[in-house]
């Protein structure tokens, strides 16, 4: 039975009439940039996350870069983060002239290990950038406690964390700012690229709004600082605002599928993802760990089940980022997890039969001698 990793056509078909109408209206009115759909998307997400400001930008990468710059992070500053993430986290730190400092992750949540943070703090440390990976928040209370103790900024990489909260407090409220991604494959995905900055800080919001349009803050064609071109297209904002209405329902289906997997492999020799107490999990990925990961992947492929490796090589091993690894850096959990992790299909359009087939196919592999 074919089990695809994603089904973007099914997703579109669920909201086709609304999207088609919005696209037709945008063309008919030629309202292509920063119009009513941008405003609606910003207002709806600000409400959902309970934040004061939501600023739509062109990508999650831009959200991270702009919010760090708007927070005053720059050349020479050190930013503590992890190497088990998508490259954009670290790329943007380097692009604003700052220096990424890697600490290790927790094996069962894949998120930053807060017990490793304090040893990495130096007089140059300006911020911590924790990544809320795969659909749940990091240990936000502990990260915030450490940041407050040392007077550091917290920049949440919330690219995978729309709808995520800890004890009801959503991403964007734990740090000084958070960056969401709406890349196609995210739980809320655009028809291309999109991102958003969330913050309760008026000054970070003011500077972010200016930076997204060339630093043109006060008045048209007057520039306060050197900025970017990072407006979100109205077409993308419309697609996202329409899909947002479905997001909670879609996330519930992901949670049902996760339950089936967790139940199906309970007690079997495979590392299952753990949701930390107080967190909700939106299951952006369902990632297991197995020492023979590549064989498991090949076995699933032979059954026509897609799977993916997020992330096969930690960032400190890639040529452009090697120089940021200090001689004392030791990331044993990151190294191990990169060799063992495998993400399984968990999108909302998976049928019960397909999920059951994934359960039995993985179990079949686990029973092999
Ligand atoms: C953890 C993480 N950070 C940053 C990004 C960058 O987002 P985008 O692809 O929208 O630029 C992504 C998304 O791909 C991501 O998963």
């Amino acid at each position: 039975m074919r089990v695809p990793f994603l089904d973007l056509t099914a997703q579109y078909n669920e909201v086709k009439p609304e999207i088609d109408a919005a696209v037709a209206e945008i063309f008919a009115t030629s309202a292509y940039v920063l119009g009513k759909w941008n405003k609606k998307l910003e207002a709806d997400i600000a409400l959902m996350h309970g934040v004061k400001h939501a600023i739509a930008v062109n990508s999650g990468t831009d959200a991270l870069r702009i919010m760090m710059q708007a927070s005053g992070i720059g050349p020479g500053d050190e930013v503590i983060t992890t190497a088990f993430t998508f490259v954009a986290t670290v790329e943007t730190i380097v692009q604003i002239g700052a220096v990424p400092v890697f600490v290790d992750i927790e094996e069962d949540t894949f998120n930053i290990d807060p017990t490793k943070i304090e040893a990495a703090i130096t007089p140059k440390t300006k911020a911590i950038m924790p990544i809320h990976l795969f659909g749940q928040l990091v240990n936000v209370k502990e990260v915030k406690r450490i940041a407050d103790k040392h007077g550091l900024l917290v920049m949440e990489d919330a690219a995978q964390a729309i709808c995520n909260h800890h004890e009801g407090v959503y991403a964007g409220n734990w740090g000084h700012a958070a960056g969401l991604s709406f890349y196609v494959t995210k739980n809320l995905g655009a028809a291309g690229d999109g991102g958003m900055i969330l913050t309760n800080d008026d000054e970070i919001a003011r500077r972010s709004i200016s930076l997204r349009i060339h630093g043109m803050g006060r008045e048209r064609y007057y520039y306060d600082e050197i900025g970017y071109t990072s407006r979100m297209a109205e077409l993308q904002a419309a697609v996202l605002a329409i899909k947002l209405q479905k997001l909670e329902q879609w996330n519930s289906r992901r949670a049902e599928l996760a339950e089936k997997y967790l139940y199906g492999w309970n007690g079997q020799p495979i590392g299952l993802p753990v949701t930390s107490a107080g967190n909700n999990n939106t299951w952006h990925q369902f990632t297991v760990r197995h020492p023979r990961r590549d064989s498991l992947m090949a076995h699933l492929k032979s059954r026509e089940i897609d799977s993916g490796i997020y992330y096969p090589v930690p960032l400190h091993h890639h040529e452009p980022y090697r120089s940021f690894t200090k001689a004392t850096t030791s990331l044993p959990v990151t190294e191990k997890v990169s060799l063992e992790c495998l993400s399984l299909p968990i999108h909302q359009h998976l049928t019960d039969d397909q999920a059951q087939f994934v359960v039995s196919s993985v179990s079949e592999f686990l029973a092999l001698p």
Side-chain angles (χ1 to χ4, degrees):
M1 184 188 299
R2 174 96 182 88
V3 186
F5 203 71
L6 272 176
D7 190 344
L8 297 175
T9 309
Q11 212 181 96
Y12 167 55
N13 284 337
E14 248 194 80
V15 284
K16 185 176 187 313
E18 295 96 316
I19 287 184
D20 290 357
V23 169
E25 179 214 279
I26 289 167
F27 276 98
T29 56
S30 305
Y32 295 121
V33 287
L34 296 182
K36 71 170 195 186
W37 287 105
N38 262 260
K39 289 198 179 72
K40 178 168 170 49
L41 183 69
E42 289 178 340
D44 289 353
I45 292 182
L47 187 67
M48 171 188 269
H49 277 250
V51 291
K52 197 166 171 194
H53 305 280
I55 301 146
V57 292
N58 201 18
S59 67
T61 306
D62 276 5
L64 299 181
R65 191 190 301 116
I66 290 173
M67 77 193 204
M68 278 193 280
Q69 199 171 322
S71 303
I73 302 168
D77 293 333
E78 290 184 355
V79 180
I80 293 173
T81 190
T82 74
F84 190 72
T85 177
F86 182 62
V87 67
T89 316
V90 174
E91 179 186 58
T92 51
I93 293 171
V94 176
Q95 283 169 344
I96 60 161
V99 179
V101 174
F102 299 117
V103 302
D104 216 350
I105 57 169
E106 299 170 336
E107 187 163 345
D108 51 3
T109 67
F110 309 100
N111 281 330
I112 193 166
D113 181 345
T115 65
K116 305 282 165 56
I117 293 176
E118 281 192 292
I121 295 175
T122 75
K124 290 186 178 165
T125 308
K126 177 94 177 206
I128 304 171
M129 181 175 272
I131 303 111
H132 305 309
L133 216 54
F134 298 160
Q136 69 168 322
L137 298 188
V138 303
N139 184 341
V140 274
K141 281 192 177 160
E142 198 48 20
V143 169
K144 189 167 160 21
R145 188 191 66 76
I146 296 165
D148 288 348
K149 179 175 159 195
H150 295 273
L152 305 176
L153 293 164
V154 176
M155 299 280 108
E156 299 174 62
D157 182 339
Q160 305 182 8
I162 188 160
C163 270
N164 280 127
H165 60 80
H166 178 75
E167 294 173 354
V169 180
Y170 282 69
N173 293 285
W174 293 98
H176 297 82
L180 303 177
S181 164
F182 304 122
Y183 180 64
V184 177
T185 56
K186 296 292 190 286
N187 288 35
L188 179 65
D193 283 303
M196 187 170 276
I197 296 162
L198 307 179
T199 183
N200 290 313
D201 185 301
D202 294 342
E203 183 58 10
I204 295 175
R206 186 193 64 74
R207 282 189 73 186
S208 298
I209 289 167
S210 165
L211 284 167
R212 87 173 156 182
I213 317 179
H214 306 289
M216 196 160 66
R218 289 161 299 147
E219 222 179 304
R220 211 165 154 78
Y221 301 125
Y222 287 82
Y223 307 102
D224 295 333
E225 53 186 320
I226 297 170
Y228 305 94
T229 173
S230 190
R231 291 171 288 239
M232 179 185 281
E234 273 292 272
L235 288 167
Q236 300 298 359
V239 167
L240 291 166
I242 290 164
K243 284 189 184 176
L244 184 63
Q245 312 302 317
K246 292 268 178 187
L247 189 60
E248 285 189 4
Q249 180 191 324
W250 286 348
N251 284 344
S252 303
R253 176 62 183 157
R254 284 175 185 258
E256 265 174 35
L257 294 164
E259 279 304 309
K260 285 186 200 300
Y261 288 168
L262 291 169
Y263 180 77
W265 301 317
N266 185 22
Q268 295 202 38
I270 188 164
L272 295 175
V274 168
T275 303
S276 304
N279 274 358
N280 71 334
N281 199 326
T282 51
W283 298 107
H284 176 56
Q285 302 287 356
F286 189 100
T287 303
V288 297
R289 286 168 290 119
H290 194 277
R292 288 189 295 121
R293 183 265 315 277
D294 294 342
S295 308
L296 173 57
M297 192 175 194
H299 176 82
L300 295 177
K301 191 164 182 223
S302 75
R303 303 287 185 276
E304 297 192 303
I305 297 171
D306 288 351
S307 59
I309 301 173
Y310 307 99
Y311 299 92
V313 181
L315 289 175
H316 63 298
H317 289 318
H318 293 268
E319 194 48 45
Y321 302 104
R322 249 190 255 282
S323 62
F324 299 109
T325 315
K326 294 185 179 172
T328 50
T329 305
S330 163
L331 307 173
V333 182
T334 299
E335 307 280 353
K336 179 169 182 270
V337 164
S338 302
L339 294 172
E340 294 189 345
C341 63
L342 189 67
S343 298
L344 304 172
I346 192 155
H347 63 84
Q348 61 270 20
H349 295 101
L350 220 61
T351 65
D352 285 348
D353 284 350
Q354 285 174 315
Q356 192 46 49
F357 186 57
V358 176
V359 170
S360 57
S361 301
V362 171
S363 300
E364 188 182 39
F365 174 83
L366 297 175
L368 293 173

